[in-house]
Each structure stands twice: as structure tokens, then as C-alpha cells.
Amino acid sequence: DPRNGNVSLRIGTASEATDALLSASEQVPGEVFTEGERVKVYMVEVRRGPRGAQVVVSRTHPGLVKRLFELEVPEIHSGIVEVKSIAREAGNRTKIAVVSHDENVDPIGACVGTRGARVANITGELNGEKIDIIKWNEDMAQFVSAALAPADVINATMQADNKSCRVIVPDDQLSLAIGKEGQNARLAAKLTGCKIDIAPESQGE
């Protein structure tokens, strides 16, 4: 719809078909849709409208990434590997934390796939969105350290409130840990549910 940018999608065929609404606010910035194109979407809700049921779908919801991993990674589908949390800034970057319930299965390796094939398929479906796959850890300080990837962490210490973590990084890794416009640190905080205070090594001493 050129007036508001909303896209109408058809789910199913013939008499089983249902129309779904992909509103402009649920679209990834920069995505362009053409008539007849097939797209994967995440169903957010079905609500009653004046003309029957209205299906509301999204391309920005973190659940879309989770479902794409379930489709692409048999170990997630079967429950051997579990997705513990997801933090997403649609169209730009996603961090996903995974854990394996089988000591013989590496959760990150399973998600990445042979030569990166599995994660590449998901990235392709999301038009090149970067995906960081993090190993979940019940030790919150270690989880926060992992979540700040690709930056290296020298030391992470949980504070007394157990909701914030002080992280020391090498001076040359500070901008990488924080990320462009603070994105890396913001996604790591969202992924772990923890307030993260990042300091360079020189200041930490």
C-alpha cells in the first residue's frame, strides 16, 4: 500500500487462503517486497477485525530468527540444542544464546553448520543480517563475557545486586566491545538481562 507502506500477504491457497497484514512497523528497514514474492514471516497474533479474523505478522520479531534456526538446525528442532535467549536489532544484528543438552554436541557448531552453511542460509533469509551465536552459561559473568563477542574480555565481575556486571577489556578492544553506536553492548545486555559496565584495562587498573 503506497499510502502507509503496509504489505498484504496471502497465507495458503484457494479456499484455505487467509490474508495477513505486514505493517510498515514490522518490516525490516530497507526491505522491498514485490507482488508474487514468497517471504517468511513470524505470526504475532490473530485478532478479530470487523471483517473476520486478521492475522498480524512480522519480519522484525526475534521469534522469526528462532523459528528459522529451528527449521535449519535439526538439533534445535529435536531439543538437543536449546535457544535460551535472543536479542535482535532487525536488519542489522542478532545475538542468539544456545546450550546443548548432549555433551557430545557443540551447540555453536550445530548452529553454524558445515562451513557455515546453516547460519548462511538464515542470514540470506534475513537479507544479510549479522548473527552472533553465543554459548549460554549459567555463570552470569562468563555469559556476559561471551555475549560481548567479537570483543575479547579480560575479566567480568558480577556486582552485589546480581543484575549488573563490570567488564574489563583490552584498551584496543573497547570500541569493538561497545560496538557502533553502542549496539554490541546494548544487544549483549538485552541477551543476558544484565546491565553491563565496560571499562578499558588501563582504567580498570
Side-chain angles (χ1 to χ4, degrees):
D1 186 335
R3 291 166 303 172
N4 53 28
N6 294 346
V7 176
S8 179
L9 300 172
R10 176 142 300 174
I11 301 170
T13 52
S15 60
E16 296 293 308
T18 303
D19 283 348
L21 175 72
L22 179 64
S23 67
S25 62
E26 296 295 335
Q27 295 169 33
V28 175
E31 274 191 333
V32 179
F33 299 98
T34 55
E35 197 168 331
E37 180 186 358
R38 286 183 172 273
V39 292
K40 285 192 172 77
V41 293
Y42 181 80
M43 190 182 294
V44 180
E45 64 171 329
V46 180
R47 55 187 180 211
R48 263 182 217 284
R51 289 178 287 178
Q54 185 183 41
V55 181
V56 180
V57 294
S58 173
R59 287 274 298 167
T60 61
H61 198 288
L64 177 63
V65 180
K66 184 178 181 183
R67 293 283 180 254
L68 289 173
F69 269 95
E70 285 176 3
L71 289 170
E72 200 65 46
V73 182
E75 292 86 345
I76 292 178
H77 185 73
S78 66
I80 293 171
V81 173
E82 179 187 351
V83 176
K84 297 292 278 188
S85 62
I86 294 179
R88 185 181 186 204
E89 293 191 1
N92 206 320
R93 194 177 208 108
T94 286
K95 286 182 185 283
I96 179 169
V98 291
V99 66
S100 176
H101 298 298
D102 180 341
E103 60 187 27
N104 297 317
V105 175
D106 169 28
I108 294 176
C111 292
V112 171
T114 307
R115 294 183 184 162
R118 289 173 176 176
V119 75
N121 288 341
I122 296 166
T123 298
E125 178 62 43
L126 299 173
N127 294 326
E129 189 172 313
K130 292 185 179 70
I131 299 175
D132 297 335
I133 304 166
I134 313 293
K135 191 172 181 179
W136 181 82
N137 197 316
E138 60 185 17
D139 181 316
M140 190 54 95
Q142 288 188 35
F143 185 26
V144 169
S145 296
L148 283 168
D152 296 323
V153 171
I154 295 170
N155 183 36
T157 312
M158 289 302 294
Q159 303 303 293
D161 63 0
N162 230 22
K163 291 177 183 170
S164 51
C165 185
R166 183 164 173 78
V167 176
I168 308 294
V169 299
D171 287 37
D172 63 352
Q173 298 265 309
L174 182 63
S175 60
L176 189 62
I178 293 168
K180 189 180 177 185
E181 296 174 354
Q183 186 186 60
N184 195 54
R186 192 165 58 245
L187 284 172
K190 199 185 289 186
L191 187 76
T192 59
C194 186
K195 184 175 181 291
I196 303 174
D197 175 27
I198 304 171
E201 188 177 12
S202 56
Q203 185 187 322
E205 289 169 357

